[in-house]
């Protein structure tokens, strides 16, 4: 799931002209003097080829007001993509919506942000993760992240409120879900070449196309069951060429690579 409109900064376009999967609203500016510019890749939509998720099926899912998705890393911390925010600092401009599959539901939980931490050294190429501190905890289950590459295989689940077709620019009020199989770096590079950063990014997608994340899905989790049958996040929706094109996998931040950095950053919020 990627976001749709990108603030096409020169920085982000230097390496890869792909869609960042953030939504048309773009990244949120933070109230701090030490902000760094956000980079913009190109991205895909709500889940293309997806099916409606049931209420409570993925209670850790979060919709962010800048047009991105995220997951509850802690009850008061959301894990999302670095390209969804403009830098690190204090801000109350982001609203996290959780607790509902339908964003129009009266039961939606809405909490403002207080602070954002963007991945240190983020320049639009890799390191696509960020944390958003919330003003109060959301009493819902959190999503554990992978700390090793053990689960970077098999079939993953993606979910989001993004576009349901490339260039749709509409998004979805209902949470959609889909299954996407792992794509090895060697195979993914047949399309993306040197644009793919092996070791920092993981690919997934259906070879025939038709199923993918897209604009508005950026920052949302890619997850699967661990050996204990619990959901485990292995990726963050990041970028890709278009949405659901044949032989064009979606590219996700490889969470296990940054697990330690994410943990340390969360502890400092």
């Amino acid at each position: 799931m990627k976001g749709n409109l990108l603030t096409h900064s020169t920085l982000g376009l230097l390496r890869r002209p792909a869609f960042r999967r953030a939504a048309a609203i773009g990244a949120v500016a933070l109230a701090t003097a030490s902000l760094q510019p956000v980079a913009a890749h190109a991205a895909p939509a709500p889940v293309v080829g997806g099916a409606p998720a049931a209420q409570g099926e993925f209670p850790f899912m979060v919709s962010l007001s800048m047009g991105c998705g995220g997951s509850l890393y802690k009850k008061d911390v959301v894990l999302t993509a670095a390209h969804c925010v403009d830098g690190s600092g204090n801000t109350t401009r982001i609203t996290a919506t959780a607790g509902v599959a339908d964003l129009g539901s009266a039961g939606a939980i809405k909490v403002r942000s207080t602070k954002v931490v963007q991945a240190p050294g983020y320049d639009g190429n890799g390191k696509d993760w960020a944390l958003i501190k919330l003003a109060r905890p959301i009493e819902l289950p959190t999503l554990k992240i992978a700390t090793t590459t053990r689960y970077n295989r098999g079939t993953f689940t993606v979910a989001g409120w993004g576009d349901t077709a490339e260039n749709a620019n509409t998004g979805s009020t209902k949470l959609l879900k889909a299954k996407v199989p792992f794509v090895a770096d060697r195979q993914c590079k047949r399309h993306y070449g040197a644009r793919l950063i092996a070791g920092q990014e993981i690919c997934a997608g259906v070879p025939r196309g038709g199923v993918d994340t897209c604009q508005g899905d950026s920052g949302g989790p890619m997850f699967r069951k661990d050996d204990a049958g619990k959901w485990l996040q292995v990726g963050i929706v990041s970028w890709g060429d278009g949405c659901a094109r044949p032989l064009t996998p979606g590219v996700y931040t490889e969470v296990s690579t940054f697990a330690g950095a994410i943990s340390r950053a969360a502890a400092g919020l």
Side-chain angles (χ1 to χ4, degrees), residues 11 36-37 82 88 117-129 200:
L11 183 63
Q36 300 177 13
S88 298
V117 174
Q118 190 181 62
Y122 175 71
D123 64 358
N125 298 318
K127 298 182 181 179
D128 196 9
W129 65 267
Q200 292 191 25

Side-chain angles (χ1 to χ4, degrees), residues 1-4 21 44-53 58 61 69 156-166 168 170-180 204-206 210-218 220-223 237 243-244 252:
M1 309 181 172
K2 303 157 189 182
N4 63 48
R21 296 185 172 179
V47 182
V48 176
F58 307 122
M61 290 293 303
F156 309 116
T157 296
V158 289
W161 291 272
D163 294 346
T164 52
E166 186 175 329
T170 56
S172 171
T173 61
K174 294 181 173 29
L175 182 64
L176 300 180
K177 64 178 181 178
K179 298 284 189 180
V180 287
V206 177
V211 180
D212 195 5
T213 54
C214 199
Q215 284 87 347
D217 291 323
S218 280
M222 180 172 74
F223 47 100
V237 178
C243 302
Y252 301 77

Side-chain angles (χ1 to χ4, degrees), residues 133-156:
K133 174 75 171 179
L134 303 178
R136 62 179 175 82
I138 294 177
E139 295 303 327
L140 290 171
T142 58
L143 180 59
K144 184 178 179 181
I145 67 172
T147 57
T148 73
T149 60
R150 178 180 179 185
Y151 295 102
N152 290 0
R153 54 184 170 78
T155 299
F156 309 116

Side-chain angles (χ1 to χ4, degrees), residues 9 11-12 16 20 36-41 81-87 118-130 200 238 253:
S9 67
L11 183 63
R16 44 192 175 188
R20 273 301 190 185
Q36 300 177 13
V38 67
H41 292 309
H83 75 266
C84 288
V85 300
D86 277 335
Q118 190 181 62
Y122 175 71
D123 64 358
N125 298 318
K127 298 182 181 179
D128 196 9
W129 65 267
Q200 292 191 25
S238 184
T253 302

Side-chain angles (χ1 to χ4, degrees), residues 2 15-18 20 41 124-127 182-204 222 236 238-241 248-254:
K2 303 157 189 182
R15 194 170 72 87
R16 44 192 175 188
R20 273 301 190 185
H41 292 309
N125 298 318
K127 298 182 181 179
F182 168 72
V183 176
D185 288 349
R186 177 182 67 258
Q187 183 177 349
C188 196
K189 283 188 173 184
R190 291 176 184 170
H191 176 80
Y192 292 113
R195 291 186 291 162
L196 180 72
I197 304 179
Q200 292 191 25
E201 297 173 327
I202 179 173
C203 299
M222 180 172 74
I236 299 170
S238 184
W239 65 284
D241 285 341
T248 309
V251 182
Y252 301 77
T253 302
E254 189 170 298

Side-chain angles (χ1 to χ4, degrees), residues 100-123:
V100 292
D102 185 341
L103 296 178
S105 171
I109 300 169
K110 296 181 181 290
V111 182
R112 288 280 187 174
S113 61
T114 61
K115 188 176 182 179
V116 170
V117 174
Q118 190 181 62
Y122 175 71
D123 64 358

